[in-house]
Amino acid sequence: MEFVNYQPTKIIFGENKIDLLETLILQYGEKAFIIGPIVCDAIIPLFNRIEKNISNKISFKTFYEVESNPSINTVNSALRAIRKFDPDIIIGIGGGSVLDVSKICSILYNNPHYTWEYMFNTFADFRKDYEQINNKLPMIAIPTTSGTGSQCTQACVLTDIDNLKKTIFHQNLYATITILDPTLTLSLPHTITRATAFDAFAHCLESFLRSDNPICNLLAKEGIKKIIYNLPLVLGSNNIEYRKELMLSDTFGGISLSNCGAMLPHPLSEIIGSYTNICHGEALALVYPSFLRNTSQKYSKKYAELADYLFPSEEFVDDVEAANYFIKSIITFMHECDLEKKISDYAVDKKIIDRIYNFITTIHLPMESTDTIDTILNEILYEKGE
């Protein structure tokens, strides 16, 4: 058995751990640049709490301008503001979009010679260790959702000038510290809670399918278990204990993803999201029932292992029966959490659907066979043969 597992981010978990922020910042200096999402009523109390917490000893500037699916233009704007302020540390507070912008700013701050074209073309493989990027600014990640895993990955997803989502992988993109405070997720609406939790589910499942890394596989299986048992509970009762479980599963998924990578649903969902603005978690949910059904034979042993782990009281005749039970259970779980959607639910124009199909079939994704991909695309885009 051979594997490599790497997770350099210091993880601080617990209720109200956000109150440690000032102490953590002072380890690096007295000037902090805070990056957050576009301000809305729901997030204002959190911003006020954080700013009040650090205002006695820390000089800080804020950039509350990160949109969903952030563009490289947003990163460029943030970098100009950061260089003008010259901070000792960057703080990212928000969902995956905010954390991705914060991470890329931390390595580009002192390295303006890197171009977007170079980074997108060069830093494209999660498995590689690339040239060191020196003089990185320390960065603290504070996720306010439980799903993206960005707080503990070396990945950064940004929208390029061609309006397509692209991913940069680099070992220096890991956050220095992440504060996992489940109290910050209590105000999340159901739509964001379910979408981000499903993203975490996908991270766990896809990394589990892709690798036999025993550390990540154990994390991934436990992450899947926590999500399918706790997401319905959170949607029914916004209990902090259930929120803790989702935040842990998100982190398990992020660690697994950073070491083992994703599978077909992720590039498909990112392309769909690029053309339609359907949020990432919901785009993944569009893909998953078809993906599971059409890979039931190929990954029957993996799906069977998950069935045995998730449902230990069930007895199965063979791997095929166990795999089918797992798939049926996941689709039922999606239905119960209002995650089972069709492309027609989003009123996407037929021309856009055709563009998505043509683009995906042109780039020849290597993760599954051409026939499998074509079958999945026809089911999710044209709702054929389900």
Short mmCIF file of all heavy atoms in Angstrom, two decimals, residues 145-199:
data_model
loop_
_atom_site.label_atom_id
_atom_site.label_comp_id
_atom_site.label_asym_id
_atom_site.label_seq_id
_atom_site.Cartn_x
_atom_site.Cartn_y
_atom_site.Cartn_z
N THR A 145 -20.46 28.53 5.83
CA THR A 145 -21.30 27.47 5.29
C THR A 145 -20.61 26.14 5.56
O THR A 145 -19.43 26.11 5.92
CB THR A 145 -21.53 27.61 3.77
OG1 THR A 145 -20.28 27.44 3.08
CG2 THR A 145 -22.12 28.97 3.44
N SER A 146 -21.31 25.05 5.38
CA SER A 146 -20.74 23.73 5.57
C SER A 146 -20.86 22.94 4.28
O SER A 146 -21.82 22.19 4.10
CB SER A 146 -21.43 22.99 6.73
OG SER A 146 -21.21 23.65 7.95
N GLY A 147 -19.89 23.14 3.38
CA GLY A 147 -20.01 22.40 2.13
C GLY A 147 -18.84 22.49 1.18
O GLY A 147 -18.48 21.52 0.55
N THR A 148 -18.21 23.63 1.05
CA THR A 148 -17.22 23.79 -0.03
C THR A 148 -15.90 23.12 0.27
O THR A 148 -15.17 22.75 -0.64
CB THR A 148 -16.95 25.28 -0.30
OG1 THR A 148 -16.22 25.84 0.78
CG2 THR A 148 -18.26 26.04 -0.49
N GLY A 149 -15.54 23.00 1.55
CA GLY A 149 -14.26 22.40 1.92
C GLY A 149 -13.07 23.29 1.63
O GLY A 149 -11.93 22.90 1.87
N SER A 150 -13.31 24.50 1.12
CA SER A 150 -12.21 25.35 0.69
C SER A 150 -11.26 25.69 1.82
O SER A 150 -10.09 25.98 1.59
CB SER A 150 -12.77 26.64 0.06
OG SER A 150 -11.73 27.48 -0.40
N GLN A 151 -11.74 25.66 3.06
CA GLN A 151 -10.91 26.00 4.21
C GLN A 151 -9.77 25.02 4.43
O GLN A 151 -8.84 25.31 5.19
CB GLN A 151 -11.76 26.09 5.48
CG GLN A 151 -12.31 24.76 5.97
CD GLN A 151 -13.65 24.39 5.35
OE1 GLN A 151 -14.09 25.02 4.40
NE2 GLN A 151 -14.30 23.37 5.89
N CYS A 152 -9.80 23.87 3.77
CA CYS A 152 -8.72 22.90 3.96
C CYS A 152 -8.33 22.21 2.65
O CYS A 152 -7.96 21.04 2.64
CB CYS A 152 -9.11 21.87 5.02
SG CYS A 152 -10.69 21.07 4.74
N THR A 153 -8.43 22.95 1.54
CA THR A 153 -7.97 22.43 0.26
C THR A 153 -6.95 23.38 -0.36
O THR A 153 -6.83 24.53 0.04
CB THR A 153 -9.11 22.23 -0.76
OG1 THR A 153 -9.55 23.52 -1.23
CG2 THR A 153 -10.28 21.48 -0.16
N GLN A 154 -6.26 22.87 -1.37
CA GLN A 154 -5.29 23.65 -2.13
C GLN A 154 -5.88 24.10 -3.47
O GLN A 154 -5.16 24.42 -4.41
CB GLN A 154 -4.01 22.84 -2.37
CG GLN A 154 -4.05 21.76 -3.47
CD GLN A 154 -4.84 20.51 -3.12
OE1 GLN A 154 -5.94 20.60 -2.58
NE2 GLN A 154 -4.28 19.37 -3.45
N ALA A 155 -7.20 24.15 -3.55
CA ALA A 155 -7.90 24.49 -4.79
C ALA A 155 -8.54 25.87 -4.70
O ALA A 155 -8.95 26.31 -3.63
CB ALA A 155 -8.97 23.44 -5.10
N CYS A 156 -8.64 26.49 -5.86
CA CYS A 156 -9.28 27.80 -5.96
C CYS A 156 -10.05 27.83 -7.27
O CYS A 156 -9.47 27.67 -8.35
CB CYS A 156 -8.21 28.90 -5.93
SG CYS A 156 -8.85 30.56 -6.16
N VAL A 157 -11.37 28.00 -7.20
CA VAL A 157 -12.23 28.01 -8.38
C VAL A 157 -12.63 29.45 -8.68
O VAL A 157 -13.23 30.12 -7.84
CB VAL A 157 -13.48 27.14 -8.18
CG1 VAL A 157 -14.34 27.15 -9.44
CG2 VAL A 157 -13.10 25.72 -7.80
N LEU A 158 -12.29 29.90 -9.89
CA LEU A 158 -12.59 31.27 -10.30
C LEU A 158 -13.19 31.28 -11.69
O LEU A 158 -12.96 30.36 -12.49
CB LEU A 158 -11.31 32.12 -10.30
CG LEU A 158 -10.61 32.30 -8.95
CD1 LEU A 158 -9.24 32.91 -9.15
CD2 LEU A 158 -11.45 33.14 -8.01
N THR A 159 -13.95 32.32 -11.99
CA THR A 159 -14.53 32.47 -13.32
C THR A 159 -13.61 33.36 -14.15
O THR A 159 -13.31 34.49 -13.78
CB THR A 159 -15.93 33.11 -13.22
OG1 THR A 159 -16.77 32.27 -12.42
CG2 THR A 159 -16.55 33.24 -14.60
N ASP A 160 -13.18 32.82 -15.28
CA ASP A 160 -12.24 33.53 -16.17
C ASP A 160 -13.01 34.50 -17.07
O ASP A 160 -14.25 34.56 -17.04
CB ASP A 160 -11.47 32.50 -17.00
CG ASP A 160 -10.17 33.05 -17.56
OD1 ASP A 160 -9.87 34.23 -17.34
OD2 ASP A 160 -9.45 32.28 -18.22
N ILE A 161 -12.29 35.22 -17.90
CA ILE A 161 -12.92 36.22 -18.78
C ILE A 161 -13.84 35.57 -19.81
O ILE A 161 -14.69 36.25 -20.39
CB ILE A 161 -11.87 37.09 -19.49
CG1 ILE A 161 -10.86 36.21 -20.25
CG2 ILE A 161 -11.14 37.98 -18.48
CD1 ILE A 161 -9.88 37.02 -21.08
N ASP A 162 -13.68 34.26 -20.06
CA ASP A 162 -14.58 33.57 -20.98
C ASP A 162 -15.85 33.08 -20.28
O ASP A 162 -16.64 32.34 -20.86
CB ASP A 162 -13.86 32.40 -21.66
CG ASP A 162 -13.28 31.41 -20.67
OD1 ASP A 162 -13.56 31.53 -19.45
OD2 ASP A 162 -12.54 30.51 -21.09
N ASN A 163 -16.03 33.47 -19.02
CA ASN A 163 -17.21 33.14 -18.21
C ASN A 163 -17.27 31.67 -17.82
O ASN A 163 -18.33 31.17 -17.44
CB ASN A 163 -18.51 33.55 -18.91
CG ASN A 163 -19.63 33.83 -17.93
OD1 ASN A 163 -19.40 34.41 -16.87
ND2 ASN A 163 -20.85 33.42 -18.25
N LEU A 164 -16.14 30.97 -17.88
CA LEU A 164 -16.09 29.58 -17.47
C LEU A 164 -15.35 29.45 -16.15
O LEU A 164 -14.35 30.12 -15.91
CB LEU A 164 -15.39 28.73 -18.54
CG LEU A 164 -16.16 28.49 -19.83
CD1 LEU A 164 -15.30 27.72 -20.82
CD2 LEU A 164 -17.45 27.73 -19.57
N LYS A 165 -15.85 28.55 -15.30
CA LYS A 165 -15.17 28.27 -14.04
C LYS A 165 -13.91 27.46 -14.31
O LYS A 165 -13.94 26.47 -15.05
CB LYS A 165 -16.08 27.48 -13.10
CG LYS A 165 -17.26 28.25 -12.54
CD LYS A 165 -18.01 27.37 -11.55
CE LYS A 165 -19.20 28.08 -10.96
NZ LYS A 165 -19.91 27.23 -9.98
N LYS A 166 -12.81 27.88 -13.68
CA LYS A 166 -11.54 27.17 -13.83
C LYS A 166 -10.91 27.03 -12.45
O LYS A 166 -11.08 27.88 -11.58
CB LYS A 166 -10.62 27.92 -14.79
CG LYS A 166 -11.19 28.03 -16.20
CD LYS A 166 -10.29 28.84 -17.12
CE LYS A 166 -10.92 28.97 -18.51
NZ LYS A 166 -10.09 29.80 -19.43
N THR A 167 -10.13 25.95 -12.29
CA THR A 167 -9.56 25.66 -10.98
C THR A 167 -8.05 25.76 -11.01
O THR A 167 -7.40 25.26 -11.92
CB THR A 167 -9.97 24.25 -10.52
OG1 THR A 167 -11.40 24.15 -10.53
CG2 THR A 167 -9.47 23.98 -9.11
N ILE A 168 -7.51 26.41 -10.00
CA ILE A 168 -6.08 26.47 -9.77
C ILE A 168 -5.77 25.59 -8.57
O ILE A 168 -6.42 25.70 -7.52
CB ILE A 168 -5.61 27.92 -9.50
CG1 ILE A 168 -5.87 28.79 -10.73
CG2 ILE A 168 -4.13 27.97 -9.11
CD1 ILE A 168 -5.69 30.28 -10.46
N PHE A 169 -4.78 24.70 -8.72
CA PHE A 169 -4.32 23.87 -7.61
C PHE A 169 -2.87 24.24 -7.29
O PHE A 169 -2.02 24.28 -8.18
CB PHE A 169 -4.37 22.38 -7.97
CG PHE A 169 -5.73 21.85 -8.29
CD1 PHE A 169 -6.15 21.71 -9.61
CD2 PHE A 169 -6.58 21.45 -7.27
CE1 PHE A 169 -7.41 21.21 -9.90
CE2 PHE A 169 -7.84 20.95 -7.56
CZ PHE A 169 -8.26 20.82 -8.87
N HIS A 170 -2.59 24.49 -6.03
CA HIS A 170 -1.22 24.75 -5.64
C HIS A 170 -1.08 24.51 -4.14
O HIS A 170 -1.93 24.93 -3.35
CB HIS A 170 -0.81 26.20 -5.97
CG HIS A 170 0.67 26.41 -5.95
ND1 HIS A 170 1.39 26.49 -4.79
CD2 HIS A 170 1.57 26.53 -6.96
CE1 HIS A 170 2.67 26.65 -5.07
NE2 HIS A 170 2.81 26.68 -6.38
N GLN A 171 -0.01 23.86 -3.76
CA GLN A 171 0.18 23.49 -2.35
C GLN A 171 0.29 24.71 -1.44
O GLN A 171 0.02 24.62 -0.23
CB GLN A 171 1.41 22.59 -2.18
CG GLN A 171 2.76 23.25 -2.42
CD GLN A 171 3.18 23.24 -3.89
OE1 GLN A 171 2.39 22.90 -4.77
NE2 GLN A 171 4.44 23.58 -4.14
N ASN A 172 0.64 25.87 -1.98
CA ASN A 172 0.70 27.08 -1.16
C ASN A 172 -0.66 27.75 -0.97
O ASN A 172 -0.76 28.76 -0.27
CB ASN A 172 1.68 28.09 -1.74
CG ASN A 172 3.12 27.61 -1.70
OD1 ASN A 172 3.86 27.73 -2.66
ND2 ASN A 172 3.53 27.02 -0.58
N LEU A 173 -1.71 27.20 -1.58
CA LEU A 173 -3.05 27.77 -1.43
C LEU A 173 -3.75 27.32 -0.16
O LEU A 173 -4.81 27.84 0.19
CB LEU A 173 -3.92 27.41 -2.64
CG LEU A 173 -3.76 28.28 -3.89
CD1 LEU A 173 -4.52 27.68 -5.06
CD2 LEU A 173 -4.24 29.70 -3.62
N TYR A 174 -3.20 26.35 0.55
CA TYR A 174 -3.83 25.95 1.80
C TYR A 174 -3.88 27.14 2.76
O TYR A 174 -2.91 27.89 2.90
CB TYR A 174 -3.03 24.83 2.47
CG TYR A 174 -3.24 23.46 1.89
CD1 TYR A 174 -2.28 22.89 1.07
CD2 TYR A 174 -4.38 22.72 2.19
CE1 TYR A 174 -2.44 21.61 0.54
CE2 TYR A 174 -4.56 21.44 1.68
CZ TYR A 174 -3.58 20.90 0.85
OH TYR A 174 -3.76 19.63 0.34
N ALA A 175 -5.01 27.29 3.44
CA ALA A 175 -5.11 28.32 4.48
C ALA A 175 -4.11 28.02 5.60
O ALA A 175 -3.80 26.86 5.88
CB ALA A 175 -6.52 28.37 5.04
N THR A 176 -3.63 29.07 6.24
CA THR A 176 -2.72 28.89 7.37
C THR A 176 -3.47 28.32 8.57
O THR A 176 -3.02 27.36 9.22
CB THR A 176 -2.08 30.24 7.75
OG1 THR A 176 -1.58 30.88 6.58
CG2 THR A 176 -0.96 30.04 8.76
N ILE A 177 -4.60 28.92 8.86
CA ILE A 177 -5.46 28.50 9.98
C ILE A 177 -6.90 28.52 9.49
O ILE A 177 -7.28 29.38 8.69
CB ILE A 177 -5.32 29.45 11.19
CG1 ILE A 177 -3.88 29.47 11.72
CG2 ILE A 177 -6.29 29.08 12.31
CD1 ILE A 177 -3.65 30.53 12.79
N THR A 178 -7.71 27.59 9.96
CA THR A 178 -9.15 27.70 9.73
C THR A 178 -9.88 27.62 11.06
O THR A 178 -9.54 26.80 11.92
CB THR A 178 -9.67 26.61 8.76
OG1 THR A 178 -11.06 26.83 8.51
CG2 THR A 178 -9.48 25.22 9.32
N ILE A 179 -10.82 28.52 11.24
CA ILE A 179 -11.67 28.51 12.43
C ILE A 179 -13.02 27.91 12.02
O ILE A 179 -13.74 28.47 11.18
CB ILE A 179 -11.89 29.92 13.00
CG1 ILE A 179 -10.55 30.54 13.42
CG2 ILE A 179 -12.86 29.88 14.17
CD1 ILE A 179 -10.67 31.99 13.86
N LEU A 180 -13.34 26.76 12.59
CA LEU A 180 -14.62 26.10 12.30
C LEU A 180 -15.55 26.32 13.48
O LEU A 180 -15.47 25.63 14.50
CB LEU A 180 -14.40 24.60 12.07
CG LEU A 180 -13.48 24.22 10.90
CD1 LEU A 180 -13.33 22.70 10.82
CD2 LEU A 180 -14.01 24.77 9.59
N ASP A 181 -16.40 27.30 13.34
CA ASP A 181 -17.33 27.68 14.40
C ASP A 181 -18.75 27.43 13.91
O ASP A 181 -19.29 28.19 13.11
CB ASP A 181 -17.14 29.16 14.75
CG ASP A 181 -17.98 29.60 15.96
OD1 ASP A 181 -18.96 28.91 16.28
OD2 ASP A 181 -17.65 30.64 16.55
N PRO A 182 -19.38 26.34 14.37
CA PRO A 182 -20.71 25.99 13.85
C PRO A 182 -21.78 27.03 14.17
O PRO A 182 -22.82 27.06 13.51
CB PRO A 182 -21.02 24.65 14.51
CG PRO A 182 -20.12 24.58 15.70
CD PRO A 182 -18.89 25.34 15.34
N THR A 183 -21.55 27.90 15.16
CA THR A 183 -22.56 28.93 15.45
C THR A 183 -22.71 29.89 14.27
O THR A 183 -23.76 30.54 14.14
CB THR A 183 -22.19 29.73 16.71
OG1 THR A 183 -20.99 30.49 16.48
CG2 THR A 183 -22.00 28.81 17.90
N LEU A 184 -21.69 29.98 13.42
CA LEU A 184 -21.75 30.90 12.28
C LEU A 184 -22.68 30.39 11.18
O LEU A 184 -23.00 31.14 10.26
CB LEU A 184 -20.35 31.13 11.71
CG LEU A 184 -19.28 31.64 12.66
CD1 LEU A 184 -17.99 31.93 11.91
CD2 LEU A 184 -19.76 32.88 13.41
N THR A 185 -23.10 29.14 11.27
CA THR A 185 -23.96 28.56 10.23
C THR A 185 -25.43 28.51 10.66
O THR A 185 -26.28 28.09 9.89
CB THR A 185 -23.51 27.14 9.86
OG1 THR A 185 -23.71 26.25 10.98
CG2 THR A 185 -22.04 27.12 9.47
N LEU A 186 -25.73 28.93 11.89
CA LEU A 186 -27.10 28.81 12.39
C LEU A 186 -28.10 29.66 11.62
O LEU A 186 -29.29 29.33 11.57
CB LEU A 186 -27.14 29.17 13.88
CG LEU A 186 -26.59 28.13 14.84
CD1 LEU A 186 -26.47 28.70 16.24
CD2 LEU A 186 -27.46 26.88 14.85
N SER A 187 -27.64 30.75 11.03
CA SER A 187 -28.57 31.65 10.33
C SER A 187 -28.71 31.32 8.85
O SER A 187 -29.43 32.00 8.12
CB SER A 187 -28.09 33.10 10.47
OG SER A 187 -26.81 33.27 9.89
N LEU A 188 -28.06 30.25 8.40
CA LEU A 188 -28.15 29.90 6.97
C LEU A 188 -29.56 29.47 6.60
O LEU A 188 -30.18 28.66 7.29
CB LEU A 188 -27.19 28.76 6.64
CG LEU A 188 -25.70 29.06 6.54
CD1 LEU A 188 -24.94 27.78 6.25
CD2 LEU A 188 -25.43 30.09 5.45
N PRO A 189 -30.09 29.98 5.48
CA PRO A 189 -31.40 29.49 5.01
C PRO A 189 -31.29 28.06 4.49
O PRO A 189 -30.20 27.57 4.19
CB PRO A 189 -31.74 30.47 3.87
CG PRO A 189 -30.42 30.98 3.39
CD PRO A 189 -29.54 31.03 4.61
N HIS A 190 -32.43 27.40 4.39
CA HIS A 190 -32.45 26.01 3.95
C HIS A 190 -31.82 25.82 2.57
O HIS A 190 -31.14 24.82 2.33
CB HIS A 190 -33.89 25.49 3.93
CG HIS A 190 -34.40 25.13 5.29
ND1 HIS A 190 -35.63 24.54 5.49
CD2 HIS A 190 -33.85 25.26 6.52
CE1 HIS A 190 -35.82 24.32 6.78
NE2 HIS A 190 -34.75 24.76 7.43
N THR A 191 -32.05 26.78 1.68
CA THR A 191 -31.52 26.62 0.32
C THR A 191 -30.01 26.49 0.32
O THR A 191 -29.44 25.62 -0.36
CB THR A 191 -31.94 27.80 -0.56
OG1 THR A 191 -31.59 29.04 0.10
CG2 THR A 191 -33.43 27.77 -0.84
N ILE A 192 -29.32 27.35 1.08
CA ILE A 192 -27.86 27.30 1.13
C ILE A 192 -27.39 26.11 1.95
O ILE A 192 -26.41 25.45 1.60
CB ILE A 192 -27.30 28.62 1.71
CG1 ILE A 192 -27.67 29.78 0.79
CG2 ILE A 192 -25.79 28.53 1.88
CD1 ILE A 192 -27.24 31.14 1.31
N THR A 193 -28.10 25.80 3.03
CA THR A 193 -27.73 24.66 3.87
C THR A 193 -27.72 23.38 3.06
O THR A 193 -26.75 22.60 3.10
CB THR A 193 -28.70 24.52 5.05
OG1 THR A 193 -28.60 25.68 5.88
CG2 THR A 193 -28.38 23.28 5.88
N ARG A 194 -28.78 23.12 2.31
CA ARG A 194 -28.87 21.86 1.57
C ARG A 194 -27.89 21.82 0.40
O ARG A 194 -27.27 20.78 0.13
CB ARG A 194 -30.30 21.58 1.12
CG ARG A 194 -30.88 22.56 0.14
CD ARG A 194 -32.19 22.01 -0.45
NE ARG A 194 -33.23 21.92 0.57
CZ ARG A 194 -34.16 22.86 0.77
NH1 ARG A 194 -34.17 23.96 0.02
NH2 ARG A 194 -35.08 22.71 1.69
N ALA A 195 -27.73 22.94 -0.29
CA ALA A 195 -26.84 22.96 -1.45
C ALA A 195 -25.39 22.77 -1.04
O ALA A 195 -24.64 22.01 -1.68
CB ALA A 195 -27.01 24.27 -2.22
N THR A 196 -24.96 23.46 0.02
CA THR A 196 -23.57 23.32 0.45
C THR A 196 -23.31 21.94 1.06
O THR A 196 -22.24 21.36 0.86
CB THR A 196 -23.18 24.43 1.44
OG1 THR A 196 -24.13 24.48 2.50
CG2 THR A 196 -23.13 25.78 0.74
N ALA A 197 -24.27 21.41 1.79
CA ALA A 197 -24.10 20.07 2.36
C ALA A 197 -23.98 19.03 1.26
O ALA A 197 -23.20 18.07 1.38
CB ALA A 197 -25.27 19.73 3.28
N PHE A 198 -24.73 19.24 0.17
CA PHE A 198 -24.62 18.26 -0.91
C PHE A 198 -23.27 18.38 -1.61
O PHE A 198 -22.72 17.38 -2.09
CB PHE A 198 -25.76 18.42 -1.92
CG PHE A 198 -25.87 17.23 -2.83
CD1 PHE A 198 -26.47 16.06 -2.37
CD2 PHE A 198 -25.36 17.24 -4.11
CE1 PHE A 198 -26.55 14.93 -3.17
CE2 PHE A 198 -25.44 16.13 -4.94
CZ PHE A 198 -26.03 14.96 -4.45
N ASP A 199 -22.72 19.57 -1.67
CA ASP A 199 -21.36 19.73 -2.20
C ASP A 199 -20.38 18.93 -1.36
O ASP A 199 -19.51 18.22 -1.89
CB ASP A 199 -21.00 21.22 -2.20
CG ASP A 199 -19.71 21.52 -2.96
OD1 ASP A 199 -19.22 20.63 -3.70
OD2 ASP A 199 -19.20 22.65 -2.83
#
